[in-house]
Amino acid sequence: MFAKTAEKAVTALIIHGAADEQRKTVYIWGMTYILDTLFNLALFALIGALTGMLAETFVFTAAYIILRIYAGGFHAGTPQRCCLFSMLLLSGSLFMIASAEKMGMVLYIMSAAAAAVITVMSPVSSKNKPLDSAEQKNYRRKARLILLAEELIAAAMLCFNINRFFYVFAAAWIALALMLILGCVRNAAE
């Protein structure tokens, strides 16, 4: 989405001697990635603010992204589709968090099932991020450790009667389990 802006910024850095012309392609890729990420985070913050769920949005984003790095899953084909898909995923998750009290035991069952899916399926590679057997083993171990840490934090939230943030973790696990399943479906179709 920001390739032209990144190219202009990198060109300016090269002109001013702050970047090496030989690595221009790498700098443009990195700058594009940074700008896309900042744009997505700004949209997430805007959605969180508009829904009155800014804290929930930040906790969801942190819990989801930290685990997704090692669990893998579905990846959209373009940055624009990724952005759209991410906004829909966040909006659906915030709706789930807001409706959690009404969902009752269903949410607990869904979160336990999602944690099981993450434990069993992680990592799910993609054509954008293929993994060799050593990487798969390493990513699986890290995904499971991160999930365990998040489960302990979520359990503490329940113990201290901070249920709202348990729901945030549950929504992150459910969203990630969906991404893992979609990633497996896409891998099977390719």
Side-chain angles (χ1 to χ4, degrees):
M1 286 186 354
F2 293 98
K4 288 181 182 178
T5 304
E7 186 171 357
K8 288 178 184 177
V10 168
T11 300
L13 289 172
I14 291 170
I15 289 170
H16 289 70
D20 180 18
E21 176 79 38
Q22 303 289 352
R23 299 182 51 89
K24 183 176 182 177
T25 304
V26 175
Y27 292 143
I28 291 171
W29 179 87
M31 182 72 74
T32 302
Y33 182 80
I34 290 168
L35 292 172
D36 282 343
T37 301
L38 291 173
F39 180 74
N40 286 338
L41 289 174
L43 283 178
F44 271 41
L46 179 64
I47 290 171
L50 290 174
T51 59
M53 299 174 72
L54 194 56
E56 291 89 340
T57 298
F58 284 127
V59 172
F60 171 86
T61 302
Y64 178 81
I65 289 175
I66 290 168
L67 192 49
R68 171 125 159 108
I69 289 168
Y70 295 102
F74 175 82
H75 287 278
T78 66
Q80 294 85 358
R81 288 185 195 147
C82 178
C83 182
L84 177 62
F85 200 83
S86 296
M87 296 309 116
L88 291 172
L89 190 70
L90 174 65
S91 298
S93 296
L94 291 177
F95 178 77
M96 183 186 315
I97 294 163
S99 305
E101 294 291 336
K102 296 174 190 160
M103 293 176 74
M105 194 55 124
V106 171
L107 183 66
Y108 293 98
I109 293 167
M110 287 173 62
S111 67
V117 167
I118 294 166
T119 300
V120 171
M121 293 179 74
S122 294
V124 174
S125 62
S126 71
K127 71 178 183 182
N128 297 341
K129 190 173 183 178
L131 302 171
D132 64 31
S133 61
E135 289 172 320
Q136 287 217 344
K137 184 177 181 181
N138 185 35
Y139 276 51
R140 179 176 293 114
R141 183 180 58 78
K142 287 181 179 181
R144 288 176 177 173
L145 286 172
I146 292 166
L147 177 62
L148 177 61
E150 288 185 4
E151 288 172 332
L152 293 172
I153 294 167
M157 296 294 172
L158 284 177
C159 288
F160 291 109
N161 207 25
I162 310 172
N163 295 353
R164 184 80 163 184
F165 287 97
F166 168 81
Y167 304 147
V168 173
F169 281 98
W173 302 333
I174 293 165
L176 183 57
L178 175 64
M179 297 303 283
L180 294 178
I181 293 166
L182 288 174
C184 284
V185 169
R186 175 182 249 178
N187 290 345
E190 292 179 342

